[in-house]
Amino acid sequence: MRIGIDFDNTIAGYDGLFATLAEERGLFQQAPVGKRDLRDALRQRPEGELTWRRLQAEAYGGRMGDAELQDGVAQFIQLCRQSGVAVSIVSHKTRHANFASDGTDLRRAATNWMAAHGFFDATGLQLNRDDVHFEDTRAAKVAKIAQLNCRWFIDDLEEVFAEPGFPSFARAVLYDPHGADIAARDGARDGATASSDNLLRCRHWDEIGGHVFGPQQ
Ligand SMILES: [Mg+2]
């Protein structure tokens, strides 16, 4: 069995980095923490969309090294290793940012970040570089997920699962760390809830591990 995982905001977390970058640029004295809140606050300003895209280009580019490994990801991948489950990372990531690029190769920045976090170490997460796929479009991403025969796919963006071509045989897991309100609204005891026939919504990687492998001690 193979499990596919998105990269940005699913494996690599940018909440702290976005807040730091916004404060460094003097956009806020104290920036909202959380990508969505920060984006929404910026978009209310003149040229806010452009400002937001510039911040993204920096976060995914030159400052990628300051992104954080999402809590529980490493344990989940190790659980896959112990269970003989193959792991692929499938990311919609162009080589260069479309806006205000400083020329950084975004794919190389992500690969270097993974290397720095032990993704390719024999004593670490034991991925091969071939297990990492960067695609130019969302359509190409879901085609890759289908081609790899991923039985599960974990992503922070619900739109990926709705993209035409997303394979019906892949179980969709929405990684939604800020989704507490939704979980509370749906009355889910464990924070994960099926919001459609084939979508699991999880706030933490431990919950995802529980769904895939059963409860861990
Ligand atoms: Mg993502």
Side-chain angles (χ1 to χ4, degrees), residues 23-95:
E23 287 164 16
E24 283 176 6
R25 287 170 167 248
L27 297 165
F28 297 91
Q29 283 212 313
Q30 197 161 25
V33 175
K35 188 187 167 199
R36 252 173 283 183
D37 287 351
L38 179 64
R39 181 196 66 194
D40 293 347
L42 284 174
R43 280 180 175 166
Q44 287 170 8
R45 301 181 177 191
E47 308 266 318
E49 180 64 26
L50 184 61
T51 305
W52 169 239
R53 285 176 185 261
R54 285 186 174 141
L55 279 189
Q56 283 188 295
E58 249 189 301
Y60 299 147
R63 293 291 290 275
M64 173 83 221
D66 294 333
E68 292 173 12
L69 187 64
Q70 299 282 34
D71 194 29
V73 173
Q75 292 85 343
F76 178 83
I77 294 176
Q78 267 150 2
L79 210 48
C80 291
R81 294 282 166 255
Q82 290 160 17
S83 310
V85 169
V87 174
S88 294
I89 294 171
V90 188
S91 167
H92 170 198
K93 186 185 276 297
T94 54
R95 191 167 287 284

Side-chain angles (χ1 to χ4, degrees), residues 2-217:
R2 180 174 297 276
I3 292 180
I5 311 177
D6 169 54
F7 182 69
D8 287 317
N9 300 293
T10 301
I11 289 174
Y14 298 88
D15 284 354
L17 177 54
F18 276 124
T20 300
L21 290 173
E23 287 164 16
E24 283 176 6
R25 287 170 167 248
L27 297 165
F28 297 91
Q29 283 212 313
Q30 197 161 25
V33 175
K35 188 187 167 199
R36 252 173 283 183
D37 287 351
L38 179 64
R39 181 196 66 194
D40 293 347
L42 284 174
R43 280 180 175 166
Q44 287 170 8
R45 301 181 177 191
E47 308 266 318
E49 180 64 26
L50 184 61
T51 305
W52 169 239
R53 285 176 185 261
R54 285 186 174 141
L55 279 189
Q56 283 188 295
E58 249 189 301
Y60 299 147
R63 293 291 290 275
M64 173 83 221
D66 294 333
E68 292 173 12
L69 187 64
Q70 299 282 34
D71 194 29
V73 173
Q75 292 85 343
F76 178 83
I77 294 176
Q78 267 150 2
L79 210 48
C80 291
R81 294 282 166 255
Q82 290 160 17
S83 310
V85 169
V87 174
S88 294
I89 294 171
V90 188
S91 167
H92 170 198
K93 186 185 276 297
T94 54
R95 191 167 287 284
H96 295 286
N98 292 322
F99 281 79
S101 175
D102 59 1
T104 303
D105 183 326
L106 305 181
R107 294 177 177 178
R108 182 173 299 168
T111 304
N112 289 346
W113 182 91
M114 283 185 265
H117 285 83
F119 276 61
F120 307 117
D121 292 353
T123 54
L125 298 182
Q126 301 170 40
L127 266 83
N128 289 313
R129 300 204 181 228
D130 293 350
D131 295 326
V132 181
H133 304 272
F134 295 117
E135 304 296 335
D136 285 327
T137 63
R138 193 177 289 160
K141 174 175 173 171
V142 299
K144 180 60 72 177
I145 294 165
Q147 185 202 331
L148 290 167
N149 204 19
C150 295
R151 294 304 158 135
W152 298 76
F153 195 77
I154 303 149
D155 204 300
D156 67 296
L157 208 59
E158 207 163 339
E159 289 89 330
V160 171
F161 307 121
E163 179 76 20
F166 184 84
S168 57
F169 54 75
R171 194 78 199 272
V173 181
L174 182 70
Y175 173 66
D176 190 15
H178 301 296
D181 297 340
I182 296 161
R185 189 192 66 204
D186 290 350
R189 266 182 302 176
D190 64 355
T193 173
S195 63
S196 72
D197 283 349
N198 192 30
L199 181 68
L200 282 169
R201 197 181 285 270
C202 296
R203 278 178 291 165
H204 194 279
W205 275 94
D206 292 349
E207 291 174 21
I208 300 172
H211 284 290
V212 176
F213 297 108
Q216 300 299 307
Q217 295 303 309

